[in-house]
Amino acid sequence: MLTNLKVDPAQLPKRVIVCGDPKRAALIASKLEDHRQIGENREYHSYAGTWKGVEVAVVSHGVGSPGAAVCFEELAKGGVEYIIRVGTAGSYQREIEPGSLVISSAAVRQDGLTSQLVPAGFPAIANRRVVDALVGAANADASGLQVAEGITLTLDVFYNGVLEFPHKLYQKAGVLAVEMENSALFVIASLRGMKAGSILAIDGYADADLLESYNPHTDAMAKAVEAEALIALDAVVSVS
C-alpha cells in the first residue's frame, strides 16, 4: 500500500493523469470507461479506468510542489511509467490569452522543493516523447483553442508578500506561463525513471493583481480544462 496515496500498487495503471484539484480528478475520471475510485487520503484522490482500451489512472496532488512531490514519488514507487499533469497557469505573454493552452517543454526551477533534491544546475525537462504526444493530440483536438509549447516557470508563491518576484525578467526571457508544480514533476520523473509532461489551461495574466482580476471560474476556463483533459488522455495512451 502506498503510504500517502492509500493505493494498492497492484491496482495502479502504468499511465497516469495528475491534477491539483480532487474535484477535477473526479471529473476527468468520469470520462473513463469502467472508472472506479482506488484510493482517497487528504488531497490525494485516485481513480482508475480505461481510455480507448488502455488502462489509465487519474490522481489529484493538491496545490504546490511539496505536497505534489509526495504524490509523484509514490506513483513512481507504484511502478508508473508515464505521467501527464493537467493544470492551470498564469500567462507571461500577452498573446497567450486566458482560456488558451500551454504545453510545457521545461520548467524554470523557482520552487523550494527541487533545490533540496538536486543541484542548482540540474534541469527540469519534460520527456520529449510525451511533449510530442501532447502536441499531436492538441493538433487533433476539435475545440479550436490556441495551443502554445515552451518553457514555463514553477513558483511557490500565489499571493505576494512584501518581496517582489521578477516576473518581468522571465517574461522578457520568453517564459510562457507560471504555475506551481511542473518543476517538481519533471525533476522527480527524471530521478525515478518516469516519462512526464504537462499541459496547462491559462486562467489569467501573471502580472495582473490577483485580488482584482483573477477569475478561474469562467466559461472559457471550463472549456479549456475540458479540452486539456481530453488532450492529455489521448496523449497518455498513445505515447510509447
Side-chain angles (χ1 to χ4, degrees):
M1 183 70 68
L2 298 173
T3 305
N4 290 284
L5 297 186
K6 300 297 184 185
V7 171
D8 180 353
Q11 299 184 57
L12 190 62
K14 303 299 183 184
R15 298 167 187 264
V16 179
I17 300 294
V18 293
C19 63
D21 185 356
K23 291 183 179 179
R24 185 176 298 157
L27 179 63
I28 297 171
S30 71
K31 301 179 184 301
L32 304 177
E33 294 181 8
D34 303 320
H35 68 275
R36 60 203 179 276
Q37 189 164 31
I38 58 173
E40 180 179 337
N41 184 44
R42 297 189 178 188
E43 66 264 48
Y44 310 117
H45 293 203
S46 303
Y47 304 86
T50 60
W51 181 256
K52 298 184 176 180
V54 179
E55 285 286 326
V56 176
V58 182
V59 182
S60 60
H61 56 63
V63 177
S65 289
V70 172
C71 174
F72 305 151
E73 292 279 12
E74 293 198 1
L75 290 174
K77 290 180 183 296
V80 169
E81 297 176 0
Y82 299 94
I83 181 169
I84 294 178
R85 184 170 114 71
V86 174
T88 58
S91 174
Y92 270 156
Q93 306 299 328
R94 185 56 56 185
E95 65 273 17
I96 300 178
E97 300 176 346
S100 61
L101 302 177
V102 167
I103 295 168
S104 178
S105 56
V108 181
R109 291 174 45 212
Q110 284 293 336
D111 64 291
L113 173 98
T114 59
S115 63
Q116 298 180 42
L117 296 178
V118 291
F122 192 95
I125 301 175
N127 179 269
R128 190 64 234 176
R129 281 184 284 173
V130 177
V131 173
D132 287 344
L134 283 166
V135 171
N139 288 338
D141 177 60
S143 66
L145 295 181
Q146 175 194 20
V147 182
E149 178 201 335
I151 297 171
T152 57
L153 182 144
T154 300
L155 189 64
D156 289 336
V157 173
F158 192 81
Y159 293 108
N160 291 330
V162 297
L163 299 178
E164 292 189 11
F165 185 78
H167 290 292
K168 293 189 182 300
L169 177 67
Y170 292 100
Q171 183 181 36
K172 290 179 180 178
V175 173
L176 300 187
V178 57
E179 53 75 65
M180 302 182 74
E181 295 90 14
N182 277 358
S183 62
L185 173 61
F186 297 161
V187 167
I188 290 169
S190 294
L191 294 178
R192 310 305 179 207
M194 296 188 292
K195 297 176 178 64
S198 173
I199 185 168
L200 307 163
I202 299 301
D203 58 12
Y205 289 103
D207 58 356
D209 187 334
L210 288 174
L211 293 175
E212 298 296 331
S213 62
Y214 177 68
N215 181 11
H217 305 299
T218 64
D219 290 342
M221 269 303 294
K223 180 180 178 181
V225 169
E226 172 80 7
E228 68 171 346
L230 295 174
I231 290 167
L233 285 167
D234 282 347
V236 82
V237 301
S238 66
V239 66
S240 61

